[in-house]
């Protein structure tokens, strides 16, 4: 792991470190890990509940396609063979949410263009996620069950498993993306939990629309240098910022 910590709750079992290495904070079955588990559940449920336009239904393998910002969904699994390109349309705050009723299985890569950023990509997975051999993945994976990185797979993002393990193979690298400052509220104040949970090591807080909130000074061992104040709303269909200030 690069600039990333490890938190496990309610158990305390962590195998493979070393030879595995991480440069963040370790929380094994403590109060911080327990709160992270609660926040992960809230985040998962919030992402799963975001409205998905019918035009964004996933009906085929996403490899070889280009997607603009927005919420995409399928009642079954998401497969990516080849390259999936995410186009931010020139908006660095463009959000991409992928909702899968079951699994995520990859044999390919994510390419971000026109301002799209890994910190703004979310994979809400109804069972387990498997990043196949040498996949170069980007985004925050929130899986109900487990997450597996097969040999030589890399992740620029976060691997967050609710009820199962995060399992690594050989030569895997997980790197935290640049810390994020805003996320769309989709008119849901409790999406603040999504932001708080995924913002390791630099927590943020997204309050209700038209409300200015100070950033909490703690979460998962991360500390912000000073409170930040902002307000932001994102249209769920387009993923574009439609109002906001910092």
């Amino acid at each position: 792991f690069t600039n990333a910590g490890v938190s496990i709750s309610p158990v305390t079992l962590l195998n493979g470190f070393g030879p595995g290495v991480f440069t963040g904070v370790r929380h094994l079955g403590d109060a911080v890990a327990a709160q992270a588990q609660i926040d992960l559940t809230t985040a998962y449920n919030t992402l799963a509940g975001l409205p998905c336009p019918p035009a964004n239904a996933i009906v085929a393998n996403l490899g070889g396609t280009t997607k603009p910002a927005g919420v995409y969904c399928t009642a079954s699994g998401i497969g990516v063979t080849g390259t999936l390109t995410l186009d931010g349309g020139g908006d660095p705050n463009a959000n991409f949410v992928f909702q899968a009723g079951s699994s995520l299985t990859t044999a390919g890569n994510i390419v971000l263009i026109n301002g799209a950023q890994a910190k703004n990509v979310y994979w809400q997975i109804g069972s387990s996620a498997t990043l196949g051999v040498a996949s170069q993945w980007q985004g925050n994976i929130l899986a109900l069950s487990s997450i597996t990185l097969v040999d030589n797979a890399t992740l620029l993002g976060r691997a967050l498993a609710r009820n199962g393990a995060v399992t690594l193979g050989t030569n895997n690298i997980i790197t935290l993306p640049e810390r994020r400052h805003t996320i769309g509220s989709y008119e849901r104040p409790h999406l603040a939990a999504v932001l708080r949970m995924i913002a390791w090591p630099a927590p943020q807080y997204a309050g209700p629309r038209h409300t200015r909130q100070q950033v909490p000074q703690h979460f998962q061992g991360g500390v912000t240098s000073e409170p930040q104040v902002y307000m932001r709303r994102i249209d769920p269909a387009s993923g574009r910022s439609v109002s906001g200030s910092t």
Side-chain angles (χ1 to χ4, degrees), residues 230-233 241-246:
Y230 65 87
M231 178 175 64
R232 180 78 65 183
R233 184 169 69 87
S241 172
V242 295
S243 67
S245 62
T246 57

Side-chain angles (χ1 to χ4, degrees), residues 28-235:
L28 306 180
D30 62 10
V32 172
Q35 184 61 52
Q37 179 73 6
I38 293 171
D39 292 335
L40 172 55
T41 300
T42 302
Y44 178 94
N45 290 335
T46 300
L47 289 171
L50 295 178
C52 177
N56 287 358
I58 299 171
V59 296
N61 191 288
L62 293 178
T65 66
T66 298
K67 300 295 184 184
V71 179
Y72 298 87
C73 59
T74 177
S76 56
I78 294 176
V80 180
T81 302
T83 298
L84 168 61
T85 301
L86 303 181
D87 187 345
D91 181 2
N93 294 312
N95 288 278
F96 302 81
V97 177
F98 294 86
Q99 304 165 331
S102 57
S103 62
L104 168 67
T105 305
T106 79
N109 310 315
I110 298 291
V111 172
L112 305 178
I113 63 173
N114 295 328
Q117 301 188 64
K119 64 184 181 181
N120 299 330
V121 180
Y122 308 93
W123 303 89
Q124 178 266 316
I125 308 302
S127 59
S128 296
T130 301
L131 305 187
V133 174
S135 290
Q136 298 177 25
W137 209 248
Q138 302 194 59
N140 306 288
I141 303 174
L142 292 79
L144 181 62
S145 297
S146 62
I147 301 173
T148 300
L149 278 69
V150 184
D151 293 353
N152 299 310
T154 63
L155 172 63
L156 177 59
R158 296 161 177 86
L160 307 170
R162 286 184 56 189
N163 301 316
V166 176
T167 302
L168 305 181
T170 301
N171 296 325
N172 300 122
I173 299 176
I174 299 178
T175 304
L176 282 182
E178 176 188 1
R179 76 180 190 180
R180 77 168 294 134
H181 296 284
T182 58
I183 184 173
S185 69
Y186 297 94
E187 304 294 336
R188 293 175 177 233
H190 62 283
L191 192 58
V194 178
L195 184 55
R196 182 175 62 171
M197 183 275 303
I198 63 172
W200 309 338
Q204 305 286 323
Y205 185 89
R209 184 184 180 189
H210 304 314
T211 298
R212 296 171 66 84
Q213 300 281 354
Q214 283 195 336
V215 179
Q217 291 282 336
H218 65 280
F219 187 72
Q220 276 300 102
V223 178
T224 55
S225 59
E226 61 183 20
Q228 300 179 30
V229 180
Y230 65 87
M231 178 175 64
R232 180 78 65 183
R233 184 169 69 87
I234 300 294
D235 174 54

Side-chain angles (χ1 to χ4, degrees), residues 5-14 22 25-38 200 220:
V6 174
S7 293
I8 301 175
S9 179
V11 299
T12 60
L13 181 62
L14 177 64
F22 65 90
V25 180
R26 181 185 311 212
H27 291 284
L28 306 180
D30 62 10
V32 172
Q35 184 61 52
Q37 179 73 6
I38 293 171
W200 309 338
Q220 276 300 102

